[in-house]
Amino acid sequence: MAAGQPAAPGAASSAAGTSTRFLISDLCSELEAYLEPNEVEEVYRAYLLGAESHEGQTRKTGEPYIYHPLAVARTMAEMRMDHQAICAAILHDVMEDTATSKDRIHAEFGEEVAELVDGVSKLTHLQFQSKAEAQAENFRKMMLAITRDIRVILIKLADRLHNMRTLGVMRPDKRRRIAKETLEIYAPIAQRLGMNAIRRELEQLGFSAKHPWRAAVLEQAVQRAGGNRREPMKNIEQAICSRMEAAGIIGRISGREKSLYSIYRKMREKHHSFEDVFDVFAIRIIVDDVDTCYRSLGVVHNLYKPVPGRFKDYIAIPKSNGYQSLHTILFGPQGIPIEIQIRSTEMDRVAESGIAAHWQYKAGGESTRTAQSRAREWLQDVLEIQKSVGNSIEFLENVKVDLFPDEVYTFTPGGDILVLPRDATPVDFAYAVHSDVGNRCVAAKIDRQLAPLSTRLQSGQTVEIVTASGARPNPAWLSFVVTGKARTGIRHCLKSMQSEEARTLGERLLDKALESLGARLSQISPARLDQMLDAMQLEDLDALLIDIGLGNRMASLVARQMVGTEGPEATAATTTTLAVKGTEGLVLSYARCCHPIPGDPIIGQLSAGRGLVVHRESCRNVLHDSRERADRTIALEWSHEPQLQFTAAVRTRTANRRGALADMAAVIADHGSNIEHISFNEQDGHSTAMTFLLTVRDRQHLAQIMRGLRRLSDVLRISRQRG
Ligand code: MN
């Protein structure tokens, strides 16, 4: 490459004696084997930025920091990853640990590298909560989910691999914690992705760091037992080899060493003794093509008898992570079982590097292909594997967010993971925590920022719900929640709120009705009350009051029954009125036909199930039949301090002049009112008829606005709309 042999980082000269150290020059020559010269240049530039950013920082080992990202890049290079991934590997810690920003990376290396580095930094922020196995599983899923680009995971795995290789310098407690995390999170992810080489190393390092003593004991046992096996093992290999030669098959035969961790795990999980686990010969046969795999199988089955029922054809039916191989177990000499794996060179490559094998950079003229199309191809591969795997959806579920977009993974402030359906909001989150939290929720913080309760949550966000005692769910929430739990929670709470409000209103209505008959509820004898409730098939007085409040029963009728005067002579005394504060509730609403506002003479009309609807007295929708009117309506008056804002409807006829509407809007705004809605009723050559819905405080306020509008020369006519 043009830049020549770059020098080692500044501080390296002091430790120049360590020949094992991997330098940028080593990386570049490794990359030259499969990348274009300009791409290697790019990596070198990334190295310069990384070295500059980490200048002066050292690792726990005492080495200059830059050796760590270089080692990570090396692992990526061994996986034959593209140059963007290598650049991102070199820069993976700069956003987290140095002043270098994402913007700068974006400016110098483009969006893709910047996003990769950002993705790795985000994963670093995830705190591992070592709670339960289920939690760990969720964590794995989430990690994969919030990573939109699988290369982020590969960098993270390479990062963890190097950290594990240099774990010795850490404090013992920290070492154990990191080792545990590696075994519970990172090794299983590597396995999911089919990356067995990395998985094995992570497991090995994790095991000996977490259980140094057990690892040492096991290692000794393996060495002791291994000595006795060398001879028979060699004989078996020899026998297979000559049979294959005789059949004209060319291939590689190797004895497999079981890893300490896999022996340990088998002993623990299956409660086997060391001998049971260890006394198995394991042999791998690698040949050129699929056809030869099956022929080789025939050869070994001919040599030793296969154990019935233990043959598995993962070539025809690959494992969900793409692994392909033939597995069989044979009865060896002296009855010792022999595990055999047979696969092609290509299958072996996939078995060792998994996902990375699918991703592997293809040299030659193809270097111009965008990473995007490679990503798509990779997904295609995954889908192919999926098809041949049949109904196992495990792989798809665990690999890529694009493939399972239906879940979001969110955190509680305590670090617990909540899995919610896509489009879930903080309200769904609150109800998922507990229905009490949902019912009392008033605000939400997403990643410590206040956010609307209707915000759609994203994977990886931490959500904090702000509650207030006495707070109530808002019926409007029903329009945006997505979980059944939130929906039923809100409905249930609203229903009990409605009953509560209806009971209060019913009580007021009944009191008034009794008052007009010169009676009081406390004067009614319990026996009389019970008799009435029985007749009405109601459980108790509350149920009766709720019924009245909801408008299902007429207070005047109930009052007359209670007092025992069946006749209608009570009408003379019905002048008492109920005060209306102006707040709408679940059993009190303002009619949309006449839009009553404070100052208007009003009347309350009970409609079954909806409670009391407030109309203007002049509204034509108010019942006129005197008998019905007496039963279903109630005199109302405004309380002295009506609250909130009301809506009034105003009809206008306006000259067709450009700017007329703007002038009107200005007048309305000047008077401190808002236009809620405008509808155009009709238009002729000269003028337009419109209806405005305006926010007003009361009649006086409305009169001021109308006076202001009337002064405009374009406004030909203006009036308040009647119901
Ligand atoms: Mn790192």
Side-chain angles (χ1 to χ4, degrees), residues 138-164:
N138 262 341
F139 192 91
R140 283 198 288 272
K141 276 178 89 174
M142 188 189 57
M143 228 177 112
L144 293 163
I146 68 173
T147 308
R148 278 160 212 290
D149 188 327
I150 202 75
R151 288 175 295 177
V152 168
I153 297 279
L154 301 186
I155 295 170
K156 194 70 204 166
L157 286 172
D159 178 41
R160 176 52 60 122
L161 186 61
H162 186 246
N163 287 338
M164 288 303 292

Side-chain angles (χ1 to χ4, degrees), residues 25 97 147 203 256 277 293 297 600 608:
S25 49
D97 299 339
T147 308
E203 281 178 352
R256 286 187 298 122
V277 178
C293 290
L297 180 73
D600 288 334

Side-chain angles (χ1 to χ4, degrees), residues 59 65 68-69 72 92-93 97 120 156 159-160 163:
R59 294 202 98 212
Y65 197 90
H68 164 63
V72 174
H92 81 268
D93 276 332
D97 299 339
V120 179
K156 194 70 204 166
D159 178 41
R160 176 52 60 122
N163 287 338

Side-chain angles (χ1 to χ4, degrees), residues 519-552:
R520 303 174 97 191
L521 190 53
S522 54
Q523 294 166 344
I524 311 297
S525 75
R528 173 90 189 125
L529 203 58
D530 282 346
Q531 189 193 342
M532 277 180 63
L533 291 172
D534 267 358
M536 293 172 177
Q537 297 188 321
L538 289 171
E539 209 162 288
D540 52 18
L541 181 62
D542 277 353
L544 174 61
L545 296 176
I546 289 168
D547 244 15
I548 295 172
L550 286 174
N552 295 334

Side-chain angles (χ1 to χ4, degrees), residues 10 24 92 95 162 213 216 382 404 422 424 451 473 514 526 551 645 678 691:
I24 180 63
H92 81 268
M95 270 175 61
H162 186 246
W213 187 76
V382 170
F404 56 112
R422 183 178 49 167
L514 284 168
Q645 286 198 308
I678 301 179
T691 303

